[in-house]
Amino acid sequence: MEKKRILVVEDDLMNIELISDLLEINGYEVLEATSGLRMFEIMDSISIVPDLILMDIQIPDVDGLTLTKRLKGDPLTRDIPIIALTAHAMRGDREKALEAGCIDYIPKPFNTREFIDKIGKFLWNSSKKEGEYNA
Ligand code: MN
């Protein structure tokens, strides 16, 4: 069975390393983007879209909610499930993330077990096959 591919959009280098290690240990293939620009470069360079995107809300160039809205507005990427990550569990963040099109929200710091369980839940429920994203 092919590995599920997760794109992590996160500007904090310690966090992206932690998240990548955690995902790889749990059998996922990881793509890393440390900026919005880099995310679009990666999306343009791959032929198969990721199975899931973990989207930090606070990133320097284009914020994660704007990136999410852009991905949701593109027929090629709108079906990719996006989970928001944020360093500060601010009141209303969850609502904003869901409104932008995220399927869920994970406040940082997170419990690693709950983190992996949540990701597995969304990938498990996703019945789409890889080629279906390519119009
Ligand atoms: Mn950040």
Side-chain angles (χ1 to χ4, degrees):
M1 203 169 93
E2 281 207 20
K3 284 188 176 184
K4 294 282 188 185
R5 182 188 271 189
I6 299 176
L7 171 61
V8 183
V9 185
E10 161 71 85
D11 63 301
D12 184 287
L13 296 180
M14 293 248 299
N15 263 335
I16 205 166
E17 197 177 325
L18 173 88
I19 292 170
S20 292
D21 287 352
L22 186 60
L23 292 173
E24 281 167 2
I25 287 166
N26 283 277
Y28 297 111
E29 187 187 323
V30 180
L31 297 167
E32 299 177 356
T34 50
S35 69
L37 181 65
R38 187 73 194 117
M39 185 201 79
F40 285 113
E41 284 173 1
I42 289 172
M43 294 297 282
D44 285 344
S45 71
I46 55 178
S47 55
I48 301 166
V49 297
D51 297 293
L52 184 85
I53 296 175
L54 290 172
M55 179 73 77
D56 180 23
I57 295 306
Q58 292 96 3
I59 46 178
D61 56 351
V62 189
D63 75 89
L65 294 178
T66 303
L67 291 176
T68 298
K69 286 177 192 160
R70 283 206 214 161
L71 292 169
K72 290 293 157 185
D74 183 337
L76 288 177
T77 54
R78 70 179 171 212
D79 293 329
I80 308 170
I82 301 175
I83 298 178
L85 302 171
T86 182
H88 308 286
M90 306 267 283
R91 199 178 172 82
D93 269 4
R94 187 172 190 280
E95 287 69 24
K96 279 186 219 162
L98 297 179
E99 198 181 287
C102 296
I103 47 165
D104 207 342
Y105 163 90
I106 299 176
K108 296 182 284 187
F110 48 78
N111 171 294
T112 56
R113 185 54 178 267
E114 287 172 13
F115 178 81
I116 286 299
D117 283 352
K118 184 166 272 192
I119 285 164
K121 187 185 81 179
F122 284 113
L123 287 172
W124 188 257
N125 288 342
S126 163
S127 59
K128 283 191 165 25
K129 292 190 182 70
E130 280 166 334
E132 286 182 35
Y133 294 111
N134 298 321

